[in-house]
Amino acid sequence: MPTRTPVTAAKVIRAFRRLEADPATLADTLVDYLDADGLRTLIQALTDRR
């Protein structure tokens, strides 16, 4: 099995920019990707950065 390249913030940002993702699309994607605990953790992490 090939080794996967680690995901970095820079790689995710490039993907978002390439796809021209808007906040509503990002939110829809994250709700589909994360479970309830992951969403709570994300919301807290975003809140802590303000």
Side-chain angles (χ1 to χ4, degrees):
M1 183 175 251
T3 304
R4 294 183 73 173
T5 304
V7 175
T8 64
K11 288 180 182 181
V12 175
I13 290 168
R14 281 194 299 273
F16 288 163
R17 285 184 179 147
R18 185 177 63 251
L19 297 171
E20 298 180 4
D22 59 78
T25 301
L26 294 175
D28 289 343
T29 302
L30 291 169
V31 166
D32 287 345
Y33 180 71
L34 298 171
D35 61 12
D37 287 336
L39 288 171
R40 280 190 287 278
T41 301
L42 173 64
I43 291 166
Q44 187 62 54
L46 291 170
T47 302
D48 290 348
R49 283 176 168 70
R50 296 188 106 211

